[in-house]
């Protein structure tokens, strides 16, 4: 199996420094990062580790759910997956990812709402990124089949 890589170049201190993360394996882009913007309510054109984790989790989950729906005999018209990753204070000091909320809406034929929910829960448990994030206290799932 392949290994994927990203690289971050950083200058300065935590509060006054900044960096740029390079998605090295794909070469699709370099993105600015900053600790003050990471902890602010608005990103103002920068990304953060939490946003990158959200991207990884939503895409991985979509793939895992696609596999589960197919195994259950369903056919996917569309899946819309959103991941919200929350950075919060760590009671032990510093920060931690305190919550991840996955929301998925699907247009699927061949399985009913119960089958979709079962596939959604199985995908949440089996998604490699979900497994990697098992230390996060809360990973919520809101899954609904749309007609």
């Amino acid at each position: 199996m392949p290994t994927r890589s990203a690289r971050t170049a950083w200058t300065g201190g935590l509060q006054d420094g900044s960096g740029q993360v390079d998605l090295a394996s794909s070469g699709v882009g370099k993105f600015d990062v900053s600790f003050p913007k990471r902890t602010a309510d608005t990103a103002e054109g920068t990304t953060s580790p939490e946003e990158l984790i959200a991207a990884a989790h939503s895409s991985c989950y979509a793939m895992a759910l696609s596999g589960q729906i197919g195994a259950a005999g369903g056919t996917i018209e569309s899946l819309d997956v959103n991941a919200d990753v929350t950075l919060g204070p760590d009671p032990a000091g510093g920060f931690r990812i305190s919550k991840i909320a996955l929301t998925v809406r699907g247009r699927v034929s061949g399985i009913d709402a119960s089958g979709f929910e079962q596939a959604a829960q199985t995908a949440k448990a089996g998604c490699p990124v979900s497994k990697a994030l098992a230390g996060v206290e809360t990973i919520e799932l809101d899954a609904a089949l749309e007609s």
Side-chain angles (χ1 to χ4, degrees), residues 1-74:
M1 298 303 290
T3 298
R4 302 293 187 232
S5 301
R7 178 182 171 275
T8 299
W10 185 270
T11 57
L14 180 63
Q15 294 297 331
D16 65 347
S18 63
Q20 196 171 59
V21 62
D22 178 9
L23 303 183
S25 298
S26 64
V28 297
K30 293 181 180 183
F31 304 92
D32 293 334
V33 290
S34 154
F35 184 76
K37 291 180 182 177
R38 177 184 184 186
T39 57
D41 288 332
T42 59
E44 297 180 9
T46 64
T47 192
S48 67
E50 292 73 32
E51 183 177 40
L52 296 169
I53 289 170
H57 205 176
S58 67
S59 60
C60 183
Y61 179 79
M63 292 177 202
L65 181 54
S66 172
Q68 290 300 317
I69 290 169

Side-chain angles (χ1 to χ4, degrees), residues 62-71 73-80 105-111 116 145:
M63 292 177 202
L65 181 54
S66 172
Q68 290 300 317
I69 290 169
T75 301
I76 298 167
E77 180 183 323
S78 67
L79 295 174
D80 184 3
R105 298 294 179 260
R107 292 188 181 274
V108 178
S109 61
I111 60 173
F116 184 79
L145 192 58

